[in-house]
Amino acid sequence: SQQGEEDPQALSIQEGENATMNCSYKTSINNLQWYRQNSGRGLVHLILIRSNEREKHSGRLRVTLDTSKKSSSLLITASRAADTASYFCATGPPNGANSKLTFGKGITLSVRP
Amino acid sequence: EPEVTQTPSHQVTQMGQEVILRCVPISNHLYFYWYRQILGQKVEFLVSFYNNEISEKSEIFDDQFSVERPDGSNFTLKIRSTKLEDSAMYFCASSEAGAETQYFGPGTRLLVL
């Protein structure tokens, strides 16, 4: 199994609904980050949570981290059509900063207007 | 807001040809990275670079690949003799010293025929 596996692979919701995406990982981490990728475009950093944190908020985003279960979830509240994109979790290794990120395969989120 | 830029946005090349992908990292960042994403697959780490040296590389980053910081602003990835399987989106990223967050460029889509 791979580091950084997201589920579901695809999610379709109505505008205004909340979207919850999950990520599991296998090895010890220093941090977990979520990125967004619009179709054919670059990766945009959304939020980072460190291994000693349990929950963080940023605007309509809420991320949780459970290191005992090696899992994280990203919640987007009050979704908008513009949130349609692929979402990736990426883990940073225990040695901390400036290290390679290991990405999952991503979740395709479609928000219907 | 400063951002990572990459050129070209698209490149088509013949198998066996050399390609150079260019990146301009964010100006006060000291760590630079290349990742690639084969169509429909996850983003994979290739190499990280600091203080004019490779600091980490993956098994993908074999002798066909090289990186260089030819001047104070550019960071390049060279593929000496391209193969069909090198077709992918290549992302450059940069980060500040001591930071976990990496900022990604928009990518170069490379197609090897």
Side-chain angles (χ1 to χ4, degrees), chain B residues 23 29 36-37 40 51 58-59 63-64 66 74 76 80 85-86 88 94 109-110 113:
Chain B
C23 168
H29 288 185
R36 78 172 186 191
Q37 184 182 32
N51 199 27
S58 72
E59 57 191 27
D63 292 343
Q64 297 281 32
S66 62
N74 289 284
T76 62
R80 287 191 185 80
E85 55 265 36
D86 293 328
S94 68
R109 187 172 295 282
L110 176 66
L113 301 176

Side-chain angles (χ1 to χ4, degrees), chain B residues 23-76:
Chain B
C23 168
V24 178
I26 295 173
S27 62
N28 63 330
H29 288 185
L30 299 179
Y31 287 79
F32 315 122
Y33 314 84
W34 284 101
Y35 292 81
R36 78 172 186 191
Q37 184 182 32
I38 294 171
L39 187 63
Q41 298 188 23
K42 60 181 183 175
V43 176
E44 301 173 291
F45 170 79
L46 294 177
V47 66
S48 58
F49 190 86
Y50 170 72
N51 199 27
N52 285 317
E53 289 185 347
I54 290 174
S55 46
E56 190 175 5
K57 62 181 181 178
S58 72
E59 57 191 27
I60 301 170
F61 194 87
D62 60 22
D63 292 343
Q64 297 281 32
F65 292 89
S66 62
V67 288
E68 191 180 27
R69 184 134 164 97
D71 53 44
S73 59
N74 289 284
F75 178 52
T76 62

Side-chain angles (χ1 to χ4, degrees), chain A residues 2 30-31 33 35 37 40-43 45 48 50 88 97-101 103-105, chain B residues 31 33 35 37 42-43 45 56 89 91 95-102 104-106 109:
Chain A
Q2 297 168 358
N30 170 272
N31 64 84
Q33 306 180 39
Y35 285 81
Q37 184 182 35
R41 307 290 295 275
L43 295 157
H45 182 262
L48 176 151
R50 293 190 172 83
F88 296 86
N98 305 121
S99 299
K100 71 175 187 182
L101 296 177
F103 284 81
K105 286 187 177 179
Chain B
Y31 287 79
Y33 314 84
Y35 292 81
Q37 184 182 32
K42 60 181 183 175
V43 176
F45 170 79
E56 190 175 5
M89 180 78 98
F91 293 107
S95 65
E96 294 180 84
E100 299 98 339
T101 299
Q102 296 176 19
F104 284 75
R109 187 172 295 282

